[in-house]
Amino acid sequence: EAQVTQNPRYLITVTGKKLTVTCSQNMNHEYMSWYRQDPGLGLRQIYYSMNVEVTDKGDVPEGYKVSRKEKRNFPLILESPSPNQTSLYFCASSFLAGDRETQYFGPGTRLLVL
Amino acid sequence: AQSVAQPEDQVNVAEGNPLTVKCTYSVSGNPYLFWYVQYPNRGLQFLLKYITGDNLVKGSYGFEAEFNKSQTSFHLKKPSALVSDSALYFCAVRVKGGYNFNKFYFGSGTKLNVKP
């Protein structure tokens, strides 16, 4: 089954404790992306990756890191989480070519930073 | 700055009536336009997209949208609403080329309520 998986689905942590949210896709997509969803703000792009070892900042990259060492995986790293990073996070992947272009989203990770 | 606007936080419609969810965008360059739907406690699901060609695009579950370049709009429509269409709808744009190439911009979302 074609899917994007994220882990963990729920996470409660404390300020400053490093964490990683994993994302994996099984569709051989070149493009992967991380978003955060906050009430009234919709989705905002954090980082995206065009392919292995190619990443770039989205609109709200501050406080986040990513890496793309393998095509299928795109982990999101919070080196020193703060309460303003409490949010719902989505990973997505896609081909980037005309008819095949559409993003598939993971189920989301709900993060609470105390 | 690139932006996507969904001017209505909520749209209420009776089952069987037509529905419209509005979206306008402001981007420098030619856009790819998308609509996604989010059901409670779920990720986003793709509905339809405009890449090029015919301005009227048809998508999943009977939805359609019309790309209007002069009005920079991409409104989502359905001729006859179902209660099961009740969900949160997001408009999104990706710019083809330029500095922000490959970035996605989403609207703030519109909650659609379809009453029986």
Side-chain angles (χ1 to χ4, degrees):
Chain A
E1 179 190 356
Q3 60 181 350
V4 178
T5 56
Q6 295 178 229
N7 283 293
R9 295 288 313 279
Y10 303 92
L11 181 58
I12 301 174
T13 189
V14 295
T15 299
K17 186 177 181 182
K18 181 179 178 180
L19 66 91
T20 299
V21 184
T22 63
C23 173
S24 184
Q25 51 94 4
N26 62 359
M27 295 167 278
N28 202 34
H29 288 159
E30 305 94 10
Y31 188 89
M32 296 188 74
S33 182
W34 276 102
Y35 299 91
R36 59 178 289 172
Q37 182 179 11
D38 302 290
L41 297 177
L43 275 76
R44 291 179 293 168
Q45 193 171 38
I46 302 170
Y47 269 96
Y48 63 95
S49 170
M50 296 296 293
N51 215 320
V52 175
E53 304 290 4
V54 182
T55 63
D56 207 349
K57 297 177 181 178
D59 259 5
V60 289
E62 295 78 20
Y64 305 94
K65 284 177 58 178
V66 294
S67 68
R68 187 94 179 270
K69 293 182 168 50
E70 304 167 284
K71 197 171 186 179
R72 64 183 294 128
N73 296 323
F74 191 45
L76 179 70
I77 303 158
L78 284 71
E79 295 265 0
S80 182
S82 62
N84 65 13
Q85 293 179 296
T86 292
S87 188
L88 178 58
Y89 291 86
F90 288 103
C91 180
S93 72
S94 173
F95 293 116
L96 277 181
D99 286 349
R100 296 196 299 169
E101 172 155 358
T102 179
Q103 288 193 89
Y104 291 81
F105 282 80
T109 295
R110 194 168 290 277
L111 173 64
L112 173 61
V113 183
L114 301 173
Chain B
Q2 324 286 350
S3 65
V4 178
Q6 292 180 242
E8 300 153 319
D9 290 337
Q10 187 166 299
V11 170
N12 298 311
V13 64
E15 188 173 32
N17 283 359
L19 70 88
T20 299
V21 182
K22 295 179 181 177
C23 172
T24 59
Y25 61 92
S26 174
V27 299
S28 53
N30 293 319
Y32 290 155
L33 295 155
F34 304 83
W35 275 101
Y36 289 88
V37 60
Q38 185 180 33
Y39 297 100
N41 301 313
R42 302 285 297 275
L44 277 72
Q45 297 176 32
F46 169 78
L47 275 181
L48 52 77
K49 66 186 175 190
Y50 171 81
I51 302 294
T52 188
D54 193 347
N55 290 344
L56 182 65
V57 293
K58 295 186 184 297
S60 307
Y61 313 121
F63 284 93
E64 58 187 31
E66 186 165 13
F67 170 59
N68 187 317
K69 188 172 183 178
S70 63
Q71 297 186 3
T72 62
S73 67
F74 190 57
H75 301 330
L76 181 70
K77 300 183 179 185
K78 188 173 183 181
S80 179
L82 300 172
V83 172
S84 57
D85 292 330
S86 298
L88 187 57
Y89 290 80
F90 289 98
C91 182
V93 61
R94 180 169 84 82
V95 182
K96 294 184 278 188
Y99 177 73
N100 292 308
F101 184 48
N102 291 327
K103 279 189 178 179
F104 273 89
Y105 299 90
F106 279 76
S108 55
T110 298
K111 188 177 181 194
L112 174 65
N113 295 314
V114 182
K115 298 192 185 328

